[in-house]
Amino acid sequence: MDYRRIWHPGGTYFFTINFLQRKNNDMLVQHIQFLRDSIKAVKANHPFKTHGWVVLPEHMHCLIELPANDTDYATRIRLIKMGFSKAIPKTERRSAIRIKHGERGIWQRRYWEHLIRDEADFQAHLDYIHYNPVKHGWVKQVKDWPYSTFYRWVERGVYPLNWAGNDEDLYEFE
């Protein structure tokens, strides 16, 4: 299959990155510090600006901006995944093909990427990132999920603390 990716210098991209085994797998949040360390190490050598990020137990979404004249998001994603994989214990099942290729069997090989087109597209994807833990049933209110950039945007005044919450006190019932 011929996958086509869009390479835009200095672009802002939305990514979805999934574990291979998504069912009953909480390894990302269980080892959140390894993920944070991997992202920090990659940023040191391959800078990017983080606009939004959410880490769920078995997948994550991020909204990042590359430096001007830089299109290489693929290296950043690969290194983040590799750094995390090297840091965690080897407990996963691996197929013969993954063993043959020296792969751990933690991440899906591919990921979803989307080039942000305009401010409305940016906001829609930022909202999607922050609402994702509610969508998947991990929490009832966005503010209750600890592994996202939501509070950074609350501090900036972009979102109210109760944004997209299911707080019944916000509604009048007669």
Side-chain angles (χ1 to χ4, degrees), residues 112 115 159 162:
W112 169 260
L115 176 64
Y159 294 113
N162 63 355

Tab-separated table of all heavy atoms in Angstrom, residues 112 115 159 162:
chain	number	residue	atom	x	y	z
A	112	TRP	N	-1.511	8.038	12.736
A	112	TRP	CA	-2.336	8.964	11.975
A	112	TRP	C	-1.745	10.344	12.130
A	112	TRP	O	-1.443	10.778	13.237
A	112	TRP	CB	-3.773	8.930	12.505
A	112	TRP	CG	-4.620	10.028	11.969
A	112	TRP	CD1	-4.947	11.197	12.591
A	112	TRP	CD2	-5.236	10.080	10.682
A	112	TRP	NE1	-5.730	11.970	11.777
A	112	TRP	CE2	-5.915	11.304	10.589
A	112	TRP	CE3	-5.272	9.212	9.591
A	112	TRP	CZ2	-6.639	11.680	9.467
A	112	TRP	CZ3	-5.980	9.590	8.478
A	112	TRP	CH2	-6.656	10.803	8.419
A	115	LEU	N	-2.164	17.469	8.910
A	115	LEU	CA	-1.621	18.828	8.858
A	115	LEU	C	-2.736	19.815	9.184
A	115	LEU	O	-3.787	19.813	8.539
A	115	LEU	CB	-1.049	19.119	7.466
A	115	LEU	CG	-0.525	20.531	7.229
A	115	LEU	CD1	0.679	20.829	8.122
A	115	LEU	CD2	-0.148	20.707	5.753
A	159	TYR	N	-9.613	27.823	28.023
A	159	TYR	CA	-10.709	26.979	28.493
A	159	TYR	C	-11.054	27.360	29.924
A	159	TYR	O	-10.155	27.628	30.725
A	159	TYR	CB	-10.304	25.502	28.527
A	159	TYR	CG	-10.013	24.859	27.207
A	159	TYR	CD1	-8.720	24.441	26.888
A	159	TYR	CD2	-11.016	24.601	26.284
A	159	TYR	CE1	-8.438	23.807	25.694
A	159	TYR	CE2	-10.746	23.966	25.081
A	159	TYR	CZ	-9.452	23.571	24.794
A	159	TYR	OH	-9.178	22.944	23.605
A	162	ASN	N	-14.210	24.091	34.011
A	162	ASN	CA	-15.309	23.129	33.864
A	162	ASN	C	-15.674	22.866	32.398
A	162	ASN	O	-16.744	22.340	32.118
A	162	ASN	CB	-16.539	23.601	34.639
A	162	ASN	CG	-17.088	24.922	34.109
A	162	ASN	OD1	-16.515	25.544	33.215
A	162	ASN	ND2	-18.191	25.361	34.679
